[in-house]
Amino acid sequence: MPTRRFPIVSGSHFIDAVEVIACIAFVVAGFALYASCNGGNSLILFGVAVAILGALLYRTGAWATIIPFAIITLCLIGGGWYGVTVAGCSL
């Protein structure tokens, strides 16, 4: 009996390119806002970039990376939210 493999996730390369560009844009925006609101805004933007990168890897077939990327994303966004609230900024 042959072993059952996971199906290959097929997708458009255009969507992959858009995800890469969006990830780079969020990282650049995070570096641009590093001094505002106690660094919280940049952490939130870095968390979104990590989430997009995790989605890109998930779409290409690296399914085992979804849990670590989800944990890192939650930590970055949670830490950013905490930094924003401690600094007195509102979202």
Side-chain angles (χ1 to χ4, degrees):
M1 177 178 232
T3 60
R4 185 175 176 187
R5 295 184 177 179
F6 289 106
I8 296 174
V9 179
S10 62
S12 172
H13 292 295
F14 176 74
I15 295 174
D16 294 340
V18 169
E19 287 179 342
V20 168
I21 291 169
C23 185
I24 292 170
F26 277 107
V27 168
V28 169
F31 279 122
L33 296 175
Y34 74 94
S36 67
C37 292
N38 203 18
N41 289 336
S42 64
L43 285 176
I44 292 171
L45 292 172
F46 291 152
V48 173
V50 168
I52 292 171
L53 182 61
L56 176 66
L57 289 174
Y58 180 77
R59 281 180 28 83
T60 58
W63 295 5
T65 61
I66 194 70
I67 293 174
F69 274 89
I71 292 170
I72 293 168
T73 299
L74 288 175
C75 288
L76 284 172
I77 291 177
W81 190 301
Y82 176 75
V84 166
T85 56
V86 167
C89 301
S90 61
L91 291 175

